[in-house]
Amino acid sequence: MRTILVLMDTLRKDYLSTYNPTTNVLTPNLDAFAEDSLTFDNHYIGSTPCMPARRDLMTGRLNFLERSWGPIEPFDITLPKVLAEQEVFSHLTTDHTHYFRLGGEGYINQFTTWDFQRGQEGDPWHSIMRDPEWMPEQYHGRLRKQYQANRELWHENEEAYPTPRTFASACDWLETNKGEDDFFLQVEVFDPHEPFDVPQKYMDIYQKDYSGPFFETPVYGEVDVPAEAEEYIRNRYSALVTMTDVHFGRLIDKLKETEMYEDTQIIVTSDHGYFLGDRELFGKNYMHNFNELAAIPLFVKHPQGKKAGERTDEVTQNIDVMPTVLDAFGATTPEEVQGASWQPIFEDEPRDKSFALYGAHGITVNITDGKYSYFRSPNEENQPLFEYAGIPTTIRHYLGEADPAAIQTGRFLARTEFPVFKVPIKRAAILDGLPDVSEYTKDSLLFDLKKDPMQQNPVIDPEIEERYKTHLKTQLDILEAPVE
């Protein structure tokens, strides 16, 4: 048995023709792969953003119910470690630099081996003290000096960009291990995450002419650029999606060349979406988890070709990856895993999951059954709020730095005897650096997804809202959310 998980960061489903036939974005390799796969129409995130989503994938549990951005904990039971007990080899190839920053500890160490392609975002890689060769004087959005330094090492040389290098690394690994069995390969690219840096030949597909200031990384918040720049950044994203698709195609070609395509389970998904001017907003994290963020693509190719070219409306999310992979290898899923395997879907058997719960720690909690989506807003009076962490790191800093005397320690999590830090939180950690953004999540919202799939018109119906509020409370109990 072989399984490959391909994770493309920030990949929006509505930019893919399999989900949106009217899109102008070219993804011929994903389109062809969908013909060999089961396409999931109701697949959702779990925890956001990047590292919380990866802990979901790695542990089959919802990270955001206990903490925000953070590492693999010493008490976590992870997918690669369970596979290792079954003598299944695991390998990760990635360009995701957050694994190597404060708050990303322990993830790569779960794998038997791993490979890292450097240079994405603000990766402190190209070590120059001078200013980078090209620092535009005029620009929209954000400009990272370190990223401008890194791009000197690949500018306009497509094969040297991080995403092509990551897929090439995966192809090399497959060539080296041609014909082997019992492995789990995770191929993870940061694209099409911002900065939307892409060779000009891909931009030429979508927009050859642009005379405005340099722009490839929006500032999170309300759209703050002219209309032509807003259109341009969407085109840059589209171009990056197309480049990512090209190199995904090379991975598929290598699998076919090594005769490992047909009988390998291949899962392709993302971690979350992104606002590209939708609802007059840029970015993610600070607003409600509308489907632009929460409804993500999922294609699963069965190793025996079952349900190829078909679709399912089963409600799924990324915490289901771990039990699905373990199921395929014949391994027992640990009791603490909260996800549910997708294997019954391929056998037309009932599956014990009807809701997806998702959100961000300290911001919102959301639930959907594919018919309605309910967004429960935070409330300033809802105190206390805590993060529970065995390792108290978060994105680029430490939890509780402002008031360490208020931190408690104890055995607060039912599933482990490990003592953890119980850190009081007044503001969500992933909102650090942003102004007061509470306006964007001040109201709880209910949407009828059948009548209003674009989530434009909130439903005002106290009876239905009460029903989904009850569903939400029930799921929070089932998923062992801390009592507060």
Side-chain angles (χ1 to χ4, degrees):
M1 179 62 200
R2 298 183 291 260
T3 293
I4 298 174
L5 170 63
V6 180
L7 191 66
M8 302 178 188
D9 201 302
T10 317
L11 181 63
R12 281 181 50 156
K13 66 188 289 187
D14 59 336
Y15 276 63
L16 307 180
S17 60
T18 305
Y19 289 102
N20 176 18
T22 65
T23 184
N24 71 330
V25 181
L26 302 178
T27 55
N29 294 296
L30 280 168
D31 297 346
F33 181 72
E35 292 300 314
D36 292 340
S37 307
L38 179 62
T39 296
F40 288 68
D41 287 326
N42 278 316
H43 187 61
Y44 286 85
I45 61 170
S47 308
T48 60
C50 296
M51 296 317 295
R54 281 154 181 80
R55 190 164 175 237
D56 283 5
L57 282 164
M58 194 85 74
T59 65
R61 294 182 62 89
L62 289 173
N63 171 91
F64 88 97
L65 296 180
E66 295 174 356
R67 62 166 302 157
S68 65
W69 184 295
I72 288 293
E73 296 283 13
F75 46 83
D76 282 342
I77 300 172
T78 66
L79 172 58
K81 291 298 186 183
V82 176
L83 290 174
E85 294 172 0
Q86 303 293 316
E87 299 185 348
V88 175
F89 193 100
S90 61
H91 179 70
L92 167 70
T93 182
T94 183
D95 62 351
H96 194 90
T97 191
H98 291 302
Y99 284 130
F100 300 90
R101 286 179 170 151
L102 198 67
E105 299 86 353
Y107 289 85
I108 60 167
N109 310 99
Q110 306 305 305
F111 294 85
T112 311
T113 55
W114 54 268
D115 191 16
F116 177 40
Q117 306 301 317
R118 298 202 62 179
Q120 283 284 19
E121 207 180 39
D123 179 15
W125 180 35
H126 188 28
S127 185
I128 56 172
M129 297 175 66
R130 59 169 171 80
D131 280 346
E133 293 176 2
W134 189 65
M135 288 287 289
E137 293 182 4
Q138 294 185 330
Y139 59 90
H140 290 308
R142 298 179 63 199
L143 184 69
R144 289 177 181 266
K145 181 178 178 180
Q146 181 61 58
Y147 188 76
Q148 292 300 104
N150 293 344
R151 75 192 301 166
E152 289 185 1
L153 302 180
W154 67 70
H155 188 58
E156 288 300 323
N157 174 11
E158 180 177 347
E159 302 305 319
Y161 276 68
T163 280
R165 281 190 275 124
T166 301
F167 278 119
S169 165
C171 291
D172 290 344
W173 190 89
L174 289 167
E175 182 63 35
T176 299
N177 295 283
K178 182 167 51 180
E180 294 288 353
D181 204 358
D182 292 333
F183 68 73
F184 171 70
L185 171 63
Q186 184 166 321
V187 184
E188 181 179 338
V189 292
F190 197 55
D191 289 333
H193 191 291
E194 80 272 19
F196 306 130
D197 179 15
V198 63
Q200 185 60 38
K201 73 176 189 180
Y202 292 103
M203 276 306 301
D204 288 345
I205 299 171
Y206 299 96
Q207 185 174 355
K208 290 186 177 182
D209 300 317
Y210 169 70
S211 58
F214 179 80
F215 189 25
E216 64 179 19
T217 303
V219 172
Y220 287 16
E222 294 185 10
V223 171
D224 59 350
V225 299
E228 62 267 26
E230 183 182 345
E231 179 185 10
Y232 177 70
I233 203 66
R234 282 195 290 269
N235 286 331
R236 288 199 73 86
Y237 176 83
S238 298
L240 195 52
V241 170
T242 295
M243 186 186 83
T244 304
D245 177 80
V246 166
H247 292 276
F248 168 72
R250 293 185 180 182
L251 175 70
I252 298 301
D253 289 345
K254 174 57 72 172
L255 283 164
K256 292 177 178 178
E257 175 191 319
T258 54
E259 299 182 350
M260 291 194 288
Y261 179 73
E262 296 298 335
D263 58 351
T264 297
Q265 176 178 252
I266 304 173
I267 302 168
V268 178
T269 190
S270 185
D271 53 355
H272 51 69
Y274 189 89
F275 277 73
L276 288 156
D278 314 83
R279 305 175 196 273
E280 299 300 316
L281 301 175
F282 280 141
K284 59 182 186 290
N285 303 338
Y286 61 91
M287 69 286 278
H288 272 302
N289 276 304
F290 292 99
N291 279 354
E292 292 93 334
L293 294 174
I296 54 177
L298 173 64
F299 309 102
V300 181
K301 189 192 80 64
H302 193 275
Q304 297 169 2
K306 295 180 179 180
K307 295 194 177 293
E310 298 183 24
R311 310 182 80 97
T312 178
D313 61 1
E314 287 272 350
V315 176
T316 60
Q317 54 187 150
N318 276 353
I319 56 171
D320 301 335
V321 168
M322 181 176 180
T324 298
V325 174
L326 292 178
D327 210 356
F329 280 100
T332 301
T333 298
E335 288 186 7
E336 72 169 42
V337 169
Q338 296 169 337
S341 172
W342 302 324
Q343 298 298 342
I345 299 173
F346 288 94
E347 305 299 334
D348 293 316
E349 296 175 352
R351 182 169 171 268
D352 186 24
K353 182 163 186 168
S354 57
F355 293 97
L357 195 78
Y358 52 99
H361 185 273
I363 305 178
T364 63
V365 60
N366 319 284
I367 190 167
T368 186
D369 57 0
K371 300 170 185 173
Y372 286 85
S373 57
Y374 180 52
F375 303 163
R376 186 67 181 177
S377 68
N379 183 329
E380 290 184 1
E381 298 176 3
N382 284 353
Q383 291 291 332
L385 174 67
F386 300 101
E387 293 208 36
Y388 296 86
I391 302 173
T393 56
T394 189
I395 180 168
R396 301 184 183 92
H397 66 97
Y398 293 90
L399 292 172
E401 288 174 320
D403 188 10
I407 300 173
Q408 303 174 56
T409 56
R411 291 176 172 82
F412 299 117
L413 299 180
R415 74 178 190 278
T416 180
E417 288 299 312
F418 269 91
V420 296
F421 295 96
K422 184 177 180 180
V423 184
I425 298 296
K426 298 295 183 183
R427 190 170 191 261
I430 61 171
L431 298 181
D432 288 350
L434 292 176
D436 181 6
V437 289
S438 58
E439 174 71 17
Y440 298 105
T441 55
K442 64 183 178 63
D443 297 317
S444 294
L445 301 174
L446 177 71
F447 294 98
D448 184 332
L449 296 175
K450 301 302 180 184
K451 295 179 180 178
D452 180 25
M454 303 304 291
Q455 297 173 312
Q456 296 292 329
N457 303 297
V459 174
I460 309 299
D461 188 319
E463 183 178 342
I464 297 177
E465 181 174 5
E466 190 62 33
R467 187 197 320 161
Y468 279 86
K469 194 188 303 181
T470 300
H471 290 323
L472 178 56
K473 290 178 180 179
T474 300
Q475 291 300 310
L476 287 169
D477 282 337
I478 291 172
L479 297 171
E480 301 175 341
V483 65
E484 71 274 7

